[in-house]
Amino acid sequence: MDALDLAPHDWRHPRPLRRPRVILRKTPASASPTPTSPAPSPTPPPAATRESSLHLLRRFTHGITPDLLAHATAAGGARSWFTAQLAPSTVPDPVGDEIDGWFAFLQRTPEELYTRSRNDTEGVWAVMWDLARWTVCRRLSSARQLQEMMVDFWSNHLNVPVGNDDAAYARVDYDKVIRANALGTFEHLLQAAVVHPAMGINLNNNVSTKKAPNENLGRELLELHTVGVDGGYTEADVKASARILTGYRVDLWPAYKAWYDTSRHATGTVSVMGFSSPNTSADGRAVTLSYLSYLAKHPKTARHIARKLCVKFVNDAPSDSLVTAVANAYTSSGTSIPATLLAMIDHPEFSSSVRAKLRNPMEDWIATVRALGIVVERPTTSSSFVNAMHWQYVGLGAAPYAWSAPNGYPNEGAAWASAGRMLNSFNLHRTMAAHYWPKDDATLPDLHTYLPALPATLQQVLDTVGTRLLGETPGSVVSASVAALLGWPLSKRVTARELNYYWPIIAIACTLLDSPLHLYR
C-alpha cells in the first residue's frame, strides 16, 4: 500500500519543528524500560528461524515488543514460549496484577453493581466502559498474552455485548468465567457460559418458561456456539433445546437475583441431534449439563470450532486438511483447547500463512501502542491515557465486546479492509507516533532514542528502527517507500543533525506502521 504523505515541507531541505511535550513517567518495574542510548545494530538469528518465531508471536500476542522477544528467547524459542503460555497461572504477571488493582469494579458482585447503578452511585454503562479499558490494558501489558488472545476469541464466539444494559450487571462475572476456561476444555467453557446469567439475559433465556419456552438461546447454542449453521439441526431440535434450558432465571426488580427455578423447567422427553433424555426431574440442571457436554463433543462442533480457530489464527480460507487435523485433535483430547491449538500451529499450513491475516482496528490500536513502547499508568483524571484511550479505539471500531449481535465480530479480513478503515489506521499511527493524544499518565518514549549511532546510512536507520518497532528489518519495498517519502537514497549517510527534527523520525515510524509489516498479523 502507498505510504502516507505526512510532509509539511520539502524533506530534502528540512527545517526544525518544535517537538510536542513528551511526558516521561516512572515505568512499572517489569515493563520494558525506555531506551536512553542509541539502539545497537540488529543481529537477527537465521532468517527462517526468526521468521517462524515472529509469525507465531504475531498470531498469538497483541504485538511484537522487545520484552516479548526477550521472553521468547529465554523460554528457548517461540514454540516453547507458546507451550508455557498454555498454563497462564504459571506465568508471572506482575504488571497485569498491578493493572487489576486500578479497577475497583473487578471486586464487585452483580448484586453490588446493580445496587450502585440503581442508587446513581455508578451507572452500569460506566462499568462496561471500564471493563473495556481494563481489558485493553491487559492486552497491552500482560505477560499472559496467549490467555488474552484466547479470552478475546472465546468472548467473541460466546458473545454477550456490553451494550446490553440488563446483561451488563452480570457481564464482569461472565468475563471471569471466560478467563477461567479460556485455556481449559471447550466442554467446561460451554457449560459455564451458556447457563450464566449474562448469557441468559442477553438471549432471553431468563424469561423462558415451561409454558412459553423462548427459543433464542436454544437456537443460538446450536447455530453459533456448537454445531454451526450447517450443523443439520431441525426446528424440532431448536424447540427441544429451548425446553432443556428452561429454569435458569434472572430478575432485575426490585433487586438483582439469579437462581434456578424448578417450577419453570419443562419436563418430559427431549431429543436433539442424537441426544435424548427422559427429563423427568423438575431440576433440569443435570440434563442441561449433559446436553451441553454432548454438544461440545459432537463431530460437527469439532469442525465448527476448528474452522473458526483456523480463520482467526491461520487464514481466511483454511484447507479441509487443516480443519480436519485440528478437529481431530479437539475430539481425541476431549475438547482440550491447548491440544487443539498445538495441532493448529504444528500443521504446515500455519507456517505457510505468514501475513495472511489483517488486523482489525482494535488489534491495530493495541499493536501500535505496543510497537511504540508506550507504557500506560494508573489513571488519575479523565484525560489520563487509560481513560482517554477508550474514545480513540471506540471511534476506530471493534472496541472490546461491543458487537451487538450474538454472532460476534467477523474474523475474516475482508470485513476490515475498506479504504475508510485504512485511512483511519494511518491517522491513528500518526497520532500515536507523534504523541498527540492521549498522553497523560503514560510513558511516551522519544522515538529518536530508537535510532542507531549516527551517522549511519538510511538503510541502517530503517533496519534499526524497524527491528525496534516491528521486531524485523523492513525489507526493500518498505525501505524504498520511506526513502521516496524523505527524498533520500537508502545509501545516504544520515547525520544526527539531519534526523534531529521532529518530522523525519515520525515519517519513518508512520511508514513502518502503515505498511503490511504492521497491519498484517
Side-chain angles (χ1 to χ4, degrees), residues 319-502:
S319 69
D320 184 70
S321 170
L322 172 61
V323 173
T324 298
V326 176
N328 287 344
Y330 172 95
T331 298
S332 64
S333 66
T335 79
S336 165
I337 296 168
T340 303
L341 293 177
L342 287 170
M344 181 172 62
I345 69 168
D346 287 340
H347 193 278
E349 193 166 330
F350 177 79
S351 60
S352 65
S353 67
V354 175
R355 293 218 159 80
K357 292 297 301 181
L358 177 68
R359 283 188 166 119
N360 69 33
M362 188 73 254
E363 292 169 340
D364 181 20
W365 190 93
I366 295 174
T368 297
V369 175
R370 283 171 64 85
L372 292 170
I374 296 171
V375 179
V376 298
E377 299 172 358
R378 179 189 287 270
T380 58
T381 70
S382 61
S383 63
S384 295
F385 196 110
V386 167
N387 288 329
M389 70 181 184
H390 183 74
W391 310 115
Q392 194 172 55
Y393 58 67
V394 164
L396 291 170
Y401 320 136
W403 186 265
S404 59
N407 59 340
Y409 285 114
N411 289 317
E412 293 80 4
W416 309 107
S418 69
R421 177 268 156 96
M422 289 296 105
L423 290 173
N424 286 339
S425 283
F426 294 167
N427 184 59
L428 163 70
H429 300 155
R430 177 169 52 178
T431 297
M432 302 307 282
H435 300 155
Y436 287 157
W437 173 83
K439 56 187 179 182
D440 292 350
D441 293 322
T443 299
L444 308 172
D446 187 338
L447 295 181
H448 289 80
T449 62
Y450 296 165
L451 295 170
L454 298 173
T457 67
L458 178 58
Q459 186 66 71
Q460 289 172 328
V461 169
L462 299 183
D463 287 349
T464 301
V465 177
T467 299
R468 173 56 184 80
L469 295 184
L470 307 177
E472 59 190 307
T473 57
S476 59
V477 174
V478 176
S479 294
S481 298
V482 179
L485 182 60
L486 294 172
W488 295 339
L490 292 170
S491 60
K492 172 181 170 60
R493 288 187 65 78
V494 186
T495 66
R497 181 177 182 280
E498 288 173 308
L499 279 178
N500 194 27
Y501 292 89
Y502 169 56

Side-chain angles (χ1 to χ4, degrees), residues 203-389:
L203 292 178
N204 310 118
N205 198 57
N206 64 314
V207 296
S208 185
T209 68
K210 61 184 179 183
K211 292 184 178 180
N214 187 292
E215 297 176 10
N216 202 3
L217 179 57
R219 183 182 301 276
E220 303 299 9
L221 170 62
L222 296 169
E223 180 177 324
L224 298 179
H225 303 155
T226 57
V227 299
V229 66
D230 299 320
Y233 58 86
T234 66
E235 283 301 306
D237 290 328
V238 170
K239 293 180 183 298
S241 181
R243 292 180 62 230
I244 292 171
L245 296 171
T246 52
Y248 294 90
R249 294 288 307 283
V250 187
D251 274 355
L252 296 177
W253 189 261
Y256 179 94
K257 180 184 178 183
W259 79 107
Y260 191 85
D261 187 346
T262 56
S263 70
R264 298 294 185 98
H265 175 63
T267 57
T269 302
V270 287
S271 178
V272 183
M273 297 189 68
F275 172 84
S276 62
S277 170
N279 186 35
T280 55
S281 173
D283 188 338
R285 284 175 287 189
V287 173
T288 298
L289 293 180
S290 179
Y291 170 53
L292 293 173
S293 176
Y294 174 85
L295 286 180
K297 297 174 181 177
H298 197 284
K300 291 185 177 179
T301 299
R303 288 195 65 83
H304 179 57
I305 296 298
R307 188 181 190 284
K308 196 164 186 179
L309 282 166
C310 292
V311 169
K312 175 68 176 179
F313 294 109
V314 184
N315 62 67
D316 288 355
S319 69
D320 184 70
S321 170
L322 172 61
V323 173
T324 298
V326 176
N328 287 344
Y330 172 95
T331 298
S332 64
S333 66
T335 79
S336 165
I337 296 168
T340 303
L341 293 177
L342 287 170
M344 181 172 62
I345 69 168
D346 287 340
H347 193 278
E349 193 166 330
F350 177 79
S351 60
S352 65
S353 67
V354 175
R355 293 218 159 80
K357 292 297 301 181
L358 177 68
R359 283 188 166 119
N360 69 33
M362 188 73 254
E363 292 169 340
D364 181 20
W365 190 93
I366 295 174
T368 297
V369 175
R370 283 171 64 85
L372 292 170
I374 296 171
V375 179
V376 298
E377 299 172 358
R378 179 189 287 270
T380 58
T381 70
S382 61
S383 63
S384 295
F385 196 110
V386 167
N387 288 329
M389 70 181 184

Side-chain angles (χ1 to χ4, degrees), residues 155-215:
S155 296
N156 200 51
H157 179 69
L158 298 159
N159 185 39
V160 174
V162 293
N164 184 320
D165 288 346
D166 290 338
Y169 301 112
R171 187 60 181 78
V172 175
D173 189 72
Y174 184 74
D175 183 83
K176 294 176 182 178
V177 166
I178 297 291
R179 287 181 174 276
N181 293 279
L183 285 164
T185 67
F186 182 69
E187 177 187 8
H188 291 156
L189 172 61
L190 186 73
Q191 289 175 327
V194 169
V195 302
H196 194 277
M199 179 68 78
I201 295 172
N202 187 55
L203 292 178
N204 310 118
N205 198 57
N206 64 314
V207 296
S208 185
T209 68
K210 61 184 179 183
K211 292 184 178 180
N214 187 292
E215 297 176 10

